[in-house]
Amino acid sequence: MISKNSISGIFFTCLIAAFAWTISALFPFLNSILVGLLLGIVIGNFFKLPSQLSPGISLTSTKVLEFSILFLAFGINYSYMGKIGWQSFLVVAVVVFSVLIFSVYLSKKMNCPSTVGWMVGFGTAICGSSAIAALAPSLNKNKEDVGVALAVVNLFGTIGMLFLPLILTLFHFSTTEISLLLGGTLHSVGNVAGAAFAISPEVGEQALTIKLARVALLSTGLIFFSYLTQDSKGKSWKDYLQLPWYLWGFIIITILVSIIKIPENVISFSEIMGKILLTIAMTAIGLKVSFSSLIQSGKKGLFYGFLIFLFQIILILLGIFFVIN
């Protein structure tokens, strides 16, 4: 239920998000989710916002984020798991779950703020911003952590998109191997598309299929990550399935999409709505982030994100050498 004192903050957040969406429409290489987050951070830190906006901004940063995940679920289809062949899927699955385990271990060893490390690892392992959005509401309410995680994942995703294709062309990898390296490591679908199609249409199509198979692991990844990060003392296996309502909704929708033929226009509408709502939610999160907290957490987050990304690339290379060849 939206209270009257929340309306002004919701409207203010939506106004900034609309501007972010417009910028990304004019410059397609810019991600509206990241633009919204950055605009929110800048406005929230350089302008003293009226206190009456706070309830609406807080509501938008939580509830809208939860509903965006339901719409994004329509873009996940388990059928992609079977399209890449059992060898490639085995490599992708082992790498995803190994990165999740390593993320939890490394965040403890580096004393990286736990939820920052967890979200960076989860976003790196599966699908960037969308994965972070799916995980974030079930963690603590520290908005700085979400901002740092998104910034780190998008930074390394962009760096990988620009430089991995150049590096890979120096070696004699096959089309399948290059596709596996790009589709199995880069953070978002956009990163994969940008890097893979820059090499060739064949690599582009194969790498995207591999990436979508990786995205399809999001549901199982959420349950597995819940198991990894919860205190196991005195708990049965049923306790690890006690996920928030929106995550169960997410899982149910992905199953339905995978077994029932959903009209393309419904899927397209849902994906657009999901991105719009996610842009609004991330804009609200940005408005709650302070520069000092961002810098403090970001130092460890950057190095941590680099180690996770490097670990992921090494695992894919090992998979190519021992499984694919």
Side-chain angles (χ1 to χ4, degrees):
M1 186 80 178
I2 299 175
S3 59
K4 288 183 179 180
N5 62 341
S6 299
I7 293 175
S8 59
I10 293 171
F11 179 76
F12 179 71
T13 305
C14 290
L15 198 63
I16 300 171
F19 183 58
W21 189 268
T22 303
I23 291 174
S24 68
L26 294 173
F27 305 97
F29 59 90
L30 293 175
N31 186 325
S32 66
I33 298 165
L34 187 60
V35 173
L37 176 71
L38 294 175
L39 281 175
I41 292 173
V42 170
I43 292 171
N45 283 272
F46 283 98
F47 299 93
K48 185 172 177 58
L49 301 178
S51 58
Q52 60 263 34
L53 296 178
S54 187
I57 293 172
S58 297
L59 182 68
T60 307
S61 67
T62 53
K63 296 303 178 185
V64 174
L65 183 59
E66 293 174 0
F67 280 104
S68 70
I69 295 162
L70 297 179
F71 282 101
L72 291 172
F74 284 90
I76 296 176
N77 194 316
Y78 298 130
S79 65
Y80 284 103
M81 294 180 182
K83 291 181 179 180
I84 65 174
W86 73 268
Q87 290 176 313
S88 294
F89 179 70
L90 177 63
V91 172
V92 169
V94 169
V95 169
V96 165
F97 290 107
S98 297
V99 169
L100 294 182
I101 294 169
F102 185 63
S103 299
V104 176
Y105 169 79
L106 190 63
S107 66
K108 292 177 182 177
K109 285 294 182 182
M110 287 184 61
N111 196 26
C112 185
S114 59
T115 56
V116 172
W118 293 349
M119 284 186 284
V120 169
F122 199 77
T124 302
I126 302 178
C127 56
S129 300
S130 299
I132 292 173
L135 183 66
S138 62
L139 301 178
N140 68 28
K141 303 301 180 184
N142 191 342
K143 298 301 180 292
E144 281 82 4
D145 288 1
V146 182
V148 171
L150 282 167
V152 169
V153 163
N154 279 281
L155 174 64
F156 284 112
T158 303
I159 291 172
M161 179 181 68
L162 295 174
F163 292 103
L164 265 184
L166 298 175
I167 295 170
L168 293 178
T169 53
L170 300 176
F171 299 91
H172 298 289
F173 288 115
S174 67
T175 298
T176 299
E177 290 166 349
I178 293 175
S179 301
L180 197 55
L181 275 162
L182 296 177
T185 63
L186 291 179
H187 300 62
S188 72
V189 174
N191 294 151
V192 174
F197 279 102
I199 295 176
S200 73
E202 293 78 14
V203 170
E205 291 172 8
Q206 198 167 339
L208 272 181
T209 305
I210 290 168
K211 175 61 180 176
L212 291 172
R214 188 169 143 213
V215 173
L217 291 169
L218 181 54
S219 299
T220 50
L222 285 166
I223 296 173
F224 182 67
F225 209 70
S226 173
Y227 167 76
L228 289 177
T229 55
Q230 286 185 29
D231 184 4
S232 59
K233 292 180 180 178
K235 288 192 173 184
S236 69
W237 65 271
K238 293 180 182 178
D239 293 316
Y240 298 108
L241 297 179
Q242 293 178 358
L243 302 175
W245 69 270
Y246 62 89
L247 288 185
W248 278 119
F250 175 90
I251 292 170
I252 291 169
I253 291 171
T254 57
I255 292 172
L256 290 175
V257 169
S258 301
I259 61 177
I260 299 173
K261 180 66 176 176
I262 307 292
E264 285 297 324
N265 58 338
V266 173
I267 293 176
S268 298
F269 171 79
S270 299
E271 288 179 345
I272 293 171
M273 280 301 300
K275 289 178 181 177
I276 290 173
L277 292 177
L278 194 51
T279 300
I280 294 170
M282 291 305 164
T283 301
I285 287 172
L287 289 168
K288 305 284 282 186
V289 172
S290 69
F291 273 137
S292 58
S293 299
L294 189 65
I295 293 170
Q296 188 176 359
S297 299
K299 291 176 182 177
K300 282 187 178 179
L302 279 172
F303 185 57
Y304 175 89
F306 169 74
L307 291 179
I308 293 291
F309 189 28
L310 183 62
F311 177 73
Q312 189 180 42
I313 292 172
I314 291 170
L315 286 182
I316 290 287
L317 287 170
L318 290 173
I320 288 172
F321 183 78
F322 288 107
V323 180
I324 303 301
N325 290 330

